[in-house]
């Protein structure tokens, strides 16, 4: 079975001879070839350049031949395109020139139009789709409204926050549908900070918006992966979101997720990204094989990490992880 089909079949809850594999944040600073590009450009210059998106997206795939390639972009490109002025300075969290403090700041943000605001991304997705053929699935992504909002404002006003979430939901649907038009096989919603909410809060502040996004993509038949970093208390909510696949953090025992998800949704995850830094390649192989064993009979499993690959991860460990799953050496 070719990698692209393997990935799509796993999202459809098929039991396969082996699961597909990719790694969150596989493109980035753990690769010397990424650091070489980064030396000459800022992150914002990189994510807006067609040539660099194409190159950096393919870098990890050329080395490791995982089954899925995730486009090089960022969850904060939407608020940037709305006019907030995003920048990343070395070693700091992302900064907005104009954070939202009140309703007038929100009103001043413009509505995005994907073909006007993200032509570099959409054109490169089309090119990547042609380049990859059936040799890898192509994954698009966006942040969840809740997670993206948490970077846009410090406000505690619930009315203001709900309006931001409404705006982001509309923007995110258009953005993801444009990625689908440009050839992605599936999309992932990063609700990385969803785990900061209790299940009750999650049902108020994050889930309803994700449900709407999933509905819009479901109409196109596009699989949606929903990721939460601290997913364990929120597994029920994740299963009810309308997502096709739930991507769980390393806090979640896979067997526990499997019991809740069986027959409803596929599962992605969840080797520790910290183990990927500290262990030897042999220890990675053992941990990965144990994980595969645990999910052997689960219908619809995609091997991945519990959170993004860290910059200090050794190349040999990433190789060991991927090869333990694909069997290629
Ligand atoms: O997975 C991939 O390889 C695709 C690319 C990707 C990036 N960001 C590129 C990036 C993806 C999927 C993201 C998602 C993202 N961005 C999330 C959700 C996932 C998660 O990690 O929880 C979040 C919260 C962001 C926001 C963001 N972007 C932060 C907080 C930072 C700075 C801290 C950091 O991790 O470096 C970024 C910058 C960023 N986005 C980098 C990359 C490769 C590093 C930039 C650099 O080279 O210095």
């Amino acid at each position: 079975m070719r990698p692209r089909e393997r990935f799509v079949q796993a999202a459809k809850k098929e039991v396969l001879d082996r699961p597909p594999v990719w790694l969150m944040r596989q493109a980035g600073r753990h690769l010397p070839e990424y650091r070489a590009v980064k030396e000459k450009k800022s992150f914002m210059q990189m994510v807006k350049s067609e040539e660099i998106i194409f190159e950096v997206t393919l870098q990890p795939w050329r080395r490791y031949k995982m089954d899925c390639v995730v486009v090089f972009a960022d969850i904060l490109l939407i608020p940037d395109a709305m006019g907030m002025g995003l920048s990343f300075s070395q070693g700091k969290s992302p900064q907005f020139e104009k954070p939202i403090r009140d309703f007038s700041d929100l009103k001043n943000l413009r509505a995005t139009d994907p073909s006007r605001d993200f032509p570099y991304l959409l054109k490169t997705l089309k090119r990547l789709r042609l380049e990859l053929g059936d040799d890898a699935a192509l994954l698009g992504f966006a942040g969840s409204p809740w997670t993206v909002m948490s970077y846009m404002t410090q406000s505690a006003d619930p009315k203001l926050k709900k309006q931001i979430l409404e705006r982001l939901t509309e923007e995110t649907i258009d953005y993801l549908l444009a990625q689908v038009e440009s050839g992605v096989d599936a999309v992932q919603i990063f609700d990385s900070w969803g785990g900061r909410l209790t299940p009750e809060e999650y049902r108020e502040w994050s889930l309803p918006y994700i449900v709407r996004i999933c509905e819009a993509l479901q109409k196109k038949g596009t699989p949606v992966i929903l990721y939460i970093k601290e997913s364990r208390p929120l597994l029920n909510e994740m299963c009810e979101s309308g997502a096709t696949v739930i991507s769980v953090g390393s806090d979640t025992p896979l067997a526990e997720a499997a019991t809740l998800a069986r027959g409803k949704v596929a599962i992605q995850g969840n080797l520790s990204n910290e183990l990927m830094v500290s262990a030897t390649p042999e220890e990675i192989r053992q941990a990965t094989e144990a994980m595969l064993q645990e999910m052997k009979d689960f219908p619809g499993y995609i091997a991945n990490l519990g959170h993004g690959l860290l910059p200090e991860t050794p190349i040999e460990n990433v190789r060991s992880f991927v090869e333990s799953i694909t069997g290629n050496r």
Side-chain angles (χ1 to χ4, degrees):
M1 187 179 282
R2 309 289 294 278
R4 185 184 182 192
E5 195 194 343
R6 182 180 293 283
F7 184 87
V8 173
Q9 290 301 317
K12 288 188 181 158
K13 305 196 284 285
E14 296 294 331
V15 180
L16 304 167
D17 55 337
R18 68 151 176 96
V21 57
W22 67 283
L23 298 86
M24 287 188 276
R25 292 278 187 116
Q26 60 193 26
R29 282 166 297 178
H30 92 284
L31 288 172
E33 55 270 36
Y34 176 90
R35 295 195 299 267
V37 180
K38 185 75 205 287
E39 240 166 55
K40 299 181 204 103
K41 303 270 187 231
S42 74
F43 180 74
M44 289 310 285
Q45 287 171 325
M46 287 173 68
V47 280
K48 291 183 180 178
S49 150
E50 289 173 33
E51 212 40 58
I52 294 178
I53 302 170
F54 185 80
E55 186 53 33
V56 167
T57 299
L58 292 175
Q59 282 176 346
W61 183 71
R62 289 196 186 113
R63 256 186 202 268
Y64 308 113
K65 288 290 184 295
M66 46 282 274
D67 299 294
C68 173
V69 158
V70 54
V71 69
F72 180 69
D74 199 84
I75 66 165
L76 301 179
L77 295 181
I78 290 179
D80 181 60
M82 292 170 89
M84 290 185 66
L86 174 64
S87 64
F88 291 88
S89 44
Q90 198 61 44
K92 281 217 199 132
S93 55
Q95 299 286 320
F96 286 109
E97 216 175 290
K98 298 180 229 160
I100 302 175
R101 288 153 310 182
D102 53 33
F103 286 92
S104 78
D105 288 339
L106 177 61
K107 281 216 182 71
N108 286 334
L109 295 184
R110 59 179 192 152
T112 65
D113 168 353
S115 54
R116 183 195 63 207
D117 293 320
F118 310 106
Y120 52 90
L121 175 69
L122 302 176
K123 279 187 203 152
T124 312
L125 284 172
K126 289 180 187 144
R127 219 180 126 197
L128 285 164
R129 184 60 277 153
L130 286 174
E131 174 79 10
L132 292 168
D134 291 326
D135 294 334
L138 179 61
L139 184 70
F141 71 90
S144 77
W146 164 258
T147 289
V148 174
M149 181 186 68
S150 68
Y151 290 95
M152 292 165 71
T153 188
Q154 304 290 327
S155 169
D157 178 349
K159 279 211 184 101
L160 178 62
K161 293 205 294 186
K162 291 257 162 92
Q163 281 196 18
I164 299 174
L165 292 168
E166 284 293 331
R167 281 286 298 271
L168 283 174
T169 302
E170 299 304 318
E171 301 288 352
T172 304
I173 289 171
D174 290 350
Y175 180 67
L176 289 176
L177 289 178
Q179 294 184 36
V180 171
E181 293 290 310
S182 305
V184 301
D185 296 297
V187 299
Q188 178 153 328
I189 300 172
F190 283 89
D191 198 3
S192 304
W193 306 130
R196 291 179 179 170
L197 301 169
T198 65
E200 296 68 37
E201 290 167 337
Y202 195 80
R203 285 175 182 278
E204 179 174 359
W205 291 98
S206 192
L207 187 61
Y209 309 99
I210 289 172
V211 166
R212 275 158 60 187
I213 296 168
C214 290
E215 275 168 6
L217 285 139
Q218 229 47 283
K219 282 189 198 139
K220 302 278 168 191
T222 308
V224 181
I225 307 170
L226 172 59
Y227 168 72
I228 299 180
K229 179 166 173 253
E230 277 140 349
S231 48
R232 192 174 186 180
L234 298 171
L235 291 172
N236 283 314
E237 287 70 20
M238 293 177 86
C239 289
E240 288 169 27
S241 63
T244 330
V245 183
I246 62 169
S247 185
V248 299
S250 304
D251 68 323
T252 304
L254 284 178
E256 187 177 317
T259 304
L260 287 172
R262 185 175 289 275
K264 291 189 203 136
V265 295
I267 294 180
Q268 173 174 281
N270 74 345
L271 199 75
S272 161
N273 64 339
E274 281 151 18
L275 186 78
M276 289 293 290
V277 175
S278 61
T280 64
E282 177 56 22
E283 288 164 340
I284 301 284
R285 191 181 62 74
Q286 287 170 15
T288 306
E289 281 171 5
M291 183 171 87
L292 296 189
Q293 191 58 31
E294 204 171 7
M295 294 304 278
K296 187 164 57 75
D297 300 316
F298 183 82
Y301 173 55
I302 300 169
N304 204 316
L305 306 180
H307 193 206
L309 200 64
L310 295 163
E312 50 285 9
T313 313
I315 300 269
E316 314 80 75
N317 286 3
V318 181
R319 181 161 290 127
S320 173
F321 176 68
V322 175
E323 289 180 355
S324 301
I325 297 154
T326 61
N328 301 330
R329 296 237 161 168

